[in-house]
Amino acid sequence: MDKSPDKSQLDSKQGDQYRQDRLAKARSIVDLYQQGGAEANPPQIHTLQDAPDFRRTPRAETGSEDTDQALYLKARETAVRYIGLDKGKSSGKVRDSLMQKGYDSDLASRVVHDLIALGYIDDKRACAKIARRHHGKRAKSRSYMKFLFIQQGVQEDVAESYLEVLPSDSASLEDFLCDQMSDLDGADREARLVRRLQSRGYNYGLITRVIRRLKETHAR
């Protein structure tokens, strides 16, 4: 009896691997930043458009043109319903949703490509939605925000360009610490605060410089 996996199982495994790879590569951005400082160059991550399965592939010989077109239209309608009124859904999230509903990776990527062209999907809007949840007391470093963008399915080049909209790490750190000066009283409390900021992607050297500057300012 043939126990080889069917196409749906293979597509599911490919989708899981795609999401795992995206998360692993996004995490490496923060790790590299913390180890090498602000000048560290993050690894290149393939965008959705650069992915091999993103391009339109030849039609299977066994399928008819009408059947394939009907399947494409059904997949696109499914994607549009998933997006709904929430225009902040990322390209990766829409692609994942289609694959979870049983559409293969080639068709899902084709639909996403076309919806980006039509304006239904805009990863800049997805970045803006994510960024609104991570400012002030929830502030994260730019490298961590890039990790969050990519983790949530934003294309890497869009995530990179959107960082210019965000405050610099120095500015967001100072804004955060100005409301946390009481946590700088005592070496133990300060050490805990430094660790918390490092977990948010801030570079240790930058953290200590900003803390020292704030302490000097408040001591005057």
Side-chain angles (χ1 to χ4, degrees):
M1 180 177 180
D2 184 6
K3 295 184 178 181
S4 60
D6 61 25
K7 189 174 187 298
S8 63
Q9 291 176 319
L10 290 175
D11 287 334
S12 177
K13 290 180 180 179
Q14 289 173 354
D16 291 342
Q17 188 62 49
Y18 169 81
R19 288 185 287 275
Q20 290 171 8
D21 290 346
R22 187 173 69 203
L23 178 59
K25 291 177 181 178
R27 287 189 184 282
S28 69
I29 295 171
V30 177
D31 294 339
L32 183 60
Y33 183 95
Q34 289 179 326
Q35 294 169 7
E39 290 73 29
N41 294 318
Q44 293 300 309
I45 299 173
H46 291 299
T47 68
L48 183 61
Q49 288 177 319
D50 290 332
D53 65 349
F54 185 79
R55 304 177 183 85
R56 299 188 183 206
T57 55
R59 199 183 315 280
E61 293 181 1
T62 57
S64 70
E65 184 173 347
D66 290 342
T67 300
D68 286 352
Q69 180 66 7
L71 183 60
Y72 166 80
L73 291 174
K74 183 179 179 182
R76 191 171 71 174
E77 181 182 353
T78 300
V80 170
R81 283 202 307 269
Y82 171 72
I83 296 168
L85 297 177
D86 181 6
K87 300 300 184 181
K89 294 245 180 20
S90 70
S91 57
K93 285 292 186 183
V94 177
R95 182 182 188 273
D96 290 347
S97 176
L98 286 172
M99 294 185 66
Q100 287 168 3
K101 288 178 170 63
Y103 295 100
D104 67 42
S105 59
D106 292 334
L107 179 57
S109 294
R110 177 185 168 190
V111 168
V112 166
H113 174 266
D114 292 346
L115 291 180
I116 289 174
L118 291 170
Y120 278 88
I121 298 173
D122 186 341
D123 277 353
K124 288 183 180 179
R125 287 197 300 258
C127 286
K129 180 181 177 181
I130 296 167
R132 284 194 294 269
R133 300 196 297 264
H134 298 277
H135 68 282
K137 291 184 178 181
R138 291 179 154 187
K140 310 291 192 303
S141 72
R142 283 185 168 187
S143 67
Y144 199 100
M145 290 307 300
K146 183 175 179 180
F147 155 72
L148 289 176
F149 293 153
I150 296 173
Q151 181 192 44
Q152 292 301 312
V154 172
Q155 296 181 44
E156 193 268 344
D157 59 334
V158 178
E160 180 69 37
S161 65
Y162 195 85
L163 297 183
E164 297 303 317
V165 178
L166 303 178
S168 67
D169 283 1
S170 180
S172 62
L173 257 179
E174 187 163 343
D175 183 57
F176 173 85
L177 287 169
C178 281
D179 293 330
Q180 305 289 327
M181 291 303 294
S182 60
D183 288 335
L184 298 178
D185 294 336
D188 289 343
R189 296 182 70 180
E190 181 176 325
R192 285 196 296 271
L193 180 59
V194 169
R195 288 195 295 272
R196 191 190 345 160
L197 291 170
Q198 282 185 286
S199 73
R200 297 183 179 194
Y202 290 104
N203 179 262
Y204 176 80
L206 177 62
I207 296 171
T208 55
R209 287 196 298 273
V210 172
I211 288 177
R212 183 168 60 250
R213 184 168 68 244
L214 288 175
K215 282 183 172 181
E216 291 173 351
T217 300
H218 281 73
R220 294 172 186 171

